[in-house]
Amino acid sequence: MHIVLDRRPDGGVAATELDAAAMPHKAVELEASALIAYVRDREAEHPRWVWSSTAHWYPALLAAGVRVQRCVDLALSHRILRTSLLSAASELAGEAATSWDDIARLAAAPLAEPSAPALFDVVEPATAESLDPVREFQAQQAATPGGPLRLLLAAESAGSLVAEEIRFTGMPWRADVHDRVLTESLGPRAFDGRRPARLEALAAQIRELLGAPGLNPDSQPELLAALRRVGLDVTSTRKWELRELDHPAIAPLLEYKNLYRLFTANGWAWLDTWVRDGRFRPDYVVGGVVTGRWATSGGGALQLPKNIRRAVVADRGWKLVVADAAQLEPRVLTGLASDGAMADAGRGRDLYDSVVAAGVVTSRHEAKVAMLGAMYGATTGDSARLMPGLRRAFPRAIALVDHAAEQGERGEQVVSRLGRTSPRPGASWREVQERASQPGASAADERRARSQARDWGRFTRNFVVQASAAEWALCWMAELRLRLAEVGDGSLDGAPHLVFFLHDEIMVHTPEQFAPQVERLVRGAAAQAGRLLFGTFPVDFPLQIATVDTYADAK
């Protein structure tokens, strides 16, 4: 059963139940104040709620203590269907841009005040025609063939529920521990725009060693000029280039850069902005990367440094269950290619160690370099040297990514396991390719065209793997969310619940007595995600799981 929620011009809500053929029954007209009770009552029937954007309907329900099991996020689904090759023949994919395209772009915009959401804070372009979610849902149903694409839309919508629930509950965060980490690393907090003591001391040391008393080490042009004045041939101030230099100022400069990164990315200003009431609330953007990976619109949840993870501490009587999927992308590639030899190598053991044991390479490091080179298209150095051996050992897997690269070099699109489709190259890319194919094209034109074609081929080579891995992670979270809801009272404040996600890693905050059960559920959900994507093909997705008091102890 589907129930479509639509905001009326008068501020109320129309709730329309659809039958099995997606045909609407008469809408129930609700006052805004009645929506919470209506959703709570109907949720007992386990409907799939259909709304414009989870990010703008669900927060108010969560604030009122109402969780929903399933939904259809029309904005996220619209974005996928408009670009997927699996729905390219549909009317929805072929129609001119509508307000739903605007909603799909704006769905990532964070709410102004996530702790106190408006009841229907749905973003709609001021000049757009009236949105009709019933009609849009019917168009999406017609555009969605059975099988993989339908699973992708369900997983993407489930991901939107996970993202909002994580944002609502937040990750447990000890501000006092965070402050202590900063003080230990940087010195006491300074105000009025001044640097903390450790940074200031390093800045003074750098100025003295470079003979530049007025140098601002935070200014890239000033620092570059100072380095050149002492005879250092540098083109940038990037860390990798600085590490190649021999000068007394380099060591304190590298230390300064590391500490400055901590100060600016996760310092006291970050703590003041993002941590409230003992919780960090990540602002996830579902499908924010073209491959379907999540992004963040603030807070940097996808880049929490290890020392800051000491501040992520379970509540008293609770534990953190942290799990990450070992070598996720190579294992997804195994399933994509149905490569039996690669599946055997990774079954019940470390895939890279197995590659070494098979004599393909001589060390685990080489195995990792070779595998990453295969998926990311590295064509020089160790990756190129090791590729022939990897191709002989796993011909089906390497042939799959090679084919994806060839498609990209021709300007074609590629498709993930469930149907997410890569974008087309831009107009300038096509112009370069066309110019090189014309009579009288110069050697420079041809070199540029080949270079750009190879670059796009590397993108499509990785797209099929990374996008499919993102789909596996979505299915993992969606399945785990449903399983966790059956533990204890299933609430977000007294039972296990997801509080963090990072590509191939999840964190569950759980009452201590449920921790062993949560570990089993995490493993079961991972196995189910593998079955959903690859059926009976025997590819393993082993997990590294740690039940800890603080995130820093998980690895």
Side-chain angles (χ1 to χ4, degrees):
M1 175 176 54
H2 292 83
I3 302 177
V4 183
L5 299 182
D6 184 19
R7 185 174 64 174
R8 300 195 319 248
D10 63 3
V13 173
T16 305
E17 186 174 326
L18 306 181
D19 62 21
M23 297 305 295
H25 297 176
K26 183 178 180 181
V28 175
E29 301 292 329
L30 301 169
E31 296 299 322
S33 58
L35 176 66
I36 301 298
Y38 175 81
V39 173
R40 181 183 287 112
D41 291 344
R42 296 303 304 271
E43 180 60 21
E45 303 170 50
H46 305 296
R48 196 179 293 272
W49 299 95
V50 181
W51 46 41
S52 57
S53 170
T54 303
H56 299 288
W57 282 86
Y58 199 29
L61 295 171
L62 289 172
V66 178
R67 289 184 78 186
V68 304
Q69 186 178 59
R70 304 183 301 171
C71 81
V72 174
D73 187 307
L74 292 172
L76 294 177
S77 299
H78 184 92
R79 185 169 60 188
I80 292 171
L81 292 171
R82 287 281 274 172
T83 57
S84 176
L85 289 177
L86 301 190
S87 56
S90 67
E91 291 185 11
L92 186 148
E95 70 183 6
T98 70
S99 294
W100 285 102
D101 294 281
D102 296 327
I103 291 292
R105 285 190 294 271
L106 293 171
L111 297 178
E113 181 52 65
S115 62
L119 192 54
F120 318 115
D121 197 356
V122 182
V123 176
E124 296 183 15
T127 59
E129 70 271 20
S130 176
L131 297 167
D132 186 340
V134 172
R135 183 183 303 166
E136 171 65 17
F137 178 68
Q138 291 171 326
Q140 291 188 11
Q141 290 290 96
T144 308
L149 193 56
R150 196 169 292 272
L151 174 57
L152 174 57
L153 298 183
E156 190 89 339
S157 292
S160 73
L161 295 174
V162 171
E164 290 308 315
E165 289 176 359
I166 290 177
R167 177 171 162 169
F168 177 75
T169 61
M171 180 190 300
W173 200 280
R174 287 276 301 275
D176 60 325
V177 174
H178 189 146
D179 177 75
R180 185 162 62 247
V181 169
L182 295 176
T183 302
E184 290 171 355
S185 300
L186 302 169
R189 181 175 188 175
F191 296 91
D192 300 327
R194 293 180 290 117
R195 297 183 184 90
R198 181 58 184 155
L199 278 179
E200 190 54 58
L202 286 168
Q205 186 179 1
I206 294 163
R207 294 187 190 107
E208 181 179 355
L209 292 170
L210 292 178
L215 172 66
N216 176 10
D218 306 333
S219 168
Q220 195 266 355
E222 288 187 33
L223 182 57
L224 197 61
L227 292 169
R228 288 172 176 168
R229 280 197 300 270
V230 296
L232 297 174
D233 184 17
V234 290
T235 59
S236 75
T237 60
R238 295 186 181 94
K239 291 180 183 178
W240 65 266
E241 186 171 354
L242 293 176
R243 291 190 185 101
E244 301 297 319
L245 302 177
D246 183 15
H247 189 277
I250 297 305
L253 179 55
L254 289 172
E255 184 180 358
Y256 181 92
K257 280 182 164 289
N258 286 334
L259 293 179
Y260 185 75
R261 169 67 182 169
L262 172 64
F263 176 56
T264 55
N266 297 101
W268 288 280
W270 183 94
L271 183 59
D272 292 344
T273 302
W274 288 99
V275 177
R276 296 178 182 173
D277 303 322
R279 292 293 187 268
F280 164 48
R281 304 179 191 278
D283 209 349
Y284 288 117
V285 181
V286 178
V289 179
V290 69
T291 58
R293 277 189 166 191
W294 288 14
T296 60
S297 60
L302 303 179
Q303 299 181 30
L304 294 179
K306 186 170 179 59
N307 55 348
I308 290 297
R309 294 178 184 184
R310 289 162 53 190
V312 184
V313 181
D315 293 344
R316 186 183 299 274
W318 289 58
K319 291 286 185 179
L320 302 174
V321 177
V322 182
D324 69 275
Q327 302 139 5
L328 176 59
E329 290 191 353
R331 293 174 187 277
V332 165
L333 173 57
T334 302
L336 287 172
S338 297
D339 192 313
M342 201 164 168
D344 290 341
R347 187 166 301 118
R349 52 186 170 172
D350 183 282
L351 176 60
Y352 298 144
D353 286 344
S354 297
V355 174
V356 176
V360 179
V361 294
T362 60
S363 69
R364 190 179 187 280
H365 173 72
E366 283 191 344
K368 186 174 183 178
V369 168
M371 198 67 72
L372 292 176
M375 294 185 296
Y376 286 86
T379 57
T380 60
D382 286 344
S383 293
R385 175 176 60 84
L386 298 168
M387 186 57 66
L390 201 66
R391 184 172 281 110
R392 287 191 298 271
F394 310 123
R396 293 179 66 93
I398 305 306
L400 184 141
V401 288
D402 283 348
H403 179 61
E406 292 164 2
Q407 290 177 280
E409 290 176 9
R410 294 192 297 266
E412 299 171 2
Q413 294 172 283
V414 296
V415 179
S416 69
R417 181 68 173 183
L418 298 184
R420 197 184 299 270
T421 299
S422 66
R424 298 180 186 276
S428 62
W429 187 95
R430 293 192 297 272
E431 290 171 3
V432 168
Q433 302 304 310
E434 291 169 2
R435 188 181 306 122
S437 66
Q438 297 300 316
S442 68
D445 289 335
E446 293 174 354
R447 284 195 300 272
R448 186 182 180 196
R450 285 195 299 270
S451 176
Q452 289 196 358
R454 285 194 297 269
D455 287 344
W456 199 258
R458 280 191 286 271
F459 165 68
T460 52
R461 171 190 291 270
N462 181 244
F463 181 94
V464 293
V465 180
Q466 188 179 115
S468 300
E471 291 164 355
W472 181 92
L474 273 176
C475 291
W476 182 30
M477 281 197 298
E479 181 67 22
L480 178 59
R481 174 180 177 269
L482 293 179
R483 295 182 183 208
L484 291 176
E486 297 177 358
V487 180
D489 62 7
S491 68
L492 288 174
D493 55 3
H497 54 275
L498 284 156
V499 293
F500 187 61
F501 169 60
L502 176 62
H503 303 321
D504 58 1
E505 180 179 327
I506 59 94
M507 180 190 298
V508 176
H509 194 211
T510 177
E512 187 170 2
Q513 70 268 26
F514 295 129
Q517 182 179 359
V518 169
E519 288 195 16
R520 292 192 296 272
L521 295 178
V522 169
R523 293 189 190 279
Q528 178 64 9
R531 288 189 290 269
L532 286 171
L533 261 69
F534 304 114
T536 59
F537 183 75
V539 54
D540 281 356
F541 290 94
L543 303 177
Q544 296 175 345
I545 302 182
T547 296
V548 294
D549 293 314
T550 177
Y551 187 20
D553 292 338
K555 293 184 180 180

